[in-house]
Structures are given as structure tokens and as C-alpha cells.
Amino acid sequence: MISTQDTQTALWFLGVLSQVRVSGEQTGGAFSITENLARRGNASPVHSHDHEDETIFVLDGELRVVTGEAEHSAGPGTVAVLPKRISHAYVVTSATARFITLHMPGGFEQFAAEVGRPAQTLTLPPEPAVPPDLAELTRIAARHGITILAPPPRP
């Protein structure tokens, strides 16, 4: 299997340009790989996955990664391994950050597609006028085996 930009999906997902480089569908469900571009302050809610282990690999910029009760600064080259059922979140602390996420097994990208929308360009999405509805996001996430535990961390 070869995945090229011609066959890859790009989403605007919760303020992030999220390019699905390899989908779970393409790997028979084994894993998915997504490249993400986000601006300062972008953060995931504190959450856990019932089914997937998540790994974040920082390419450019700086994140703060929260795992359980611990917080870690994550600059270029940092890899954060986040096992399923462990609460975690990230927040971008630099002007922008680019990072890869690996989900094993694949499928997280289906949640991102349901919540997000196709990217109009391969750029950061417009700043949202209002934050996402956390209650609605929590309901959608639950259908995908994701438990949202708390609002996103601040930069």
C-alpha cells in the first residue's frame, strides 16, 4: 500500500489542519497516521481512548502533554506514548506546532471526520468564533470509544 497526497484526506478538526496520511481503512484497521498543524492555544480536551493507543511525535514547535497527573514539555523530536485508558491531552505552547499522531488500532480519524469538515486548503482553519460544544463533542466521542474527562488545558 502506498499513500500519496492525491489519495490522502485533509480535515479541519477542532482548529487543527489534520492530514490523514494513512487511514485505518487502508491498514485493515491496524493503525492510522495523521499529520497535524495547530496554532498556539489549540488543545485537546482531557480524554482517554477505550480502544486505541496514541503516540504523538512532535516535528516543529512546542506542546505541553498532560498524562494522568503529570505534565511534560514536548519540543521537536519528542515522542509521547499514550496507552489506551490513560487520561491525556495536549496544548500548543509555541506560535504553531506540527506533530504526527499514530493511533493503534486505526479508527480515530473516523471521529475526526465526524466532528471536523474537509479542509478547504492545506492551511490552518479559520479561528472558530465560539469554542466547540463540549457536551456535543462528548456525545460524539463516546460513540467512538473516547471518554472526554475535562476541558482542554490552557497554554
Side-chain angles (χ1 to χ4, degrees), residues 9-94:
T9 303
L11 302 168
W12 283 341
F13 169 61
L14 299 176
V16 175
L17 169 63
S18 187
Q19 294 177 265
V20 180
R21 299 301 191 179
V22 178
S23 70
E25 183 178 337
Q26 291 171 298
T27 65
F31 65 91
S32 64
I33 298 173
T34 304
E35 182 177 346
N36 304 282
L37 175 64
R39 61 177 61 87
R40 178 177 171 75
N42 179 270
S44 66
V46 178
H47 65 283
S48 65
H49 302 267
D50 293 340
H51 310 295
E52 304 105 357
D53 295 320
E54 181 176 4
T55 300
I56 299 173
F57 175 50
V58 181
L59 300 171
D60 295 305
E62 188 91 17
L63 306 178
R64 189 170 73 247
V65 179
V66 178
T67 60
E69 299 298 317
E71 293 190 15
H72 308 273
S73 180
T78 301
V79 178
V81 178
L82 308 165
K84 63 184 163 200
R85 296 186 196 92
I86 299 295
S87 67
H88 62 277
Y90 76 84
V91 59
V92 177
T93 57
S94 55

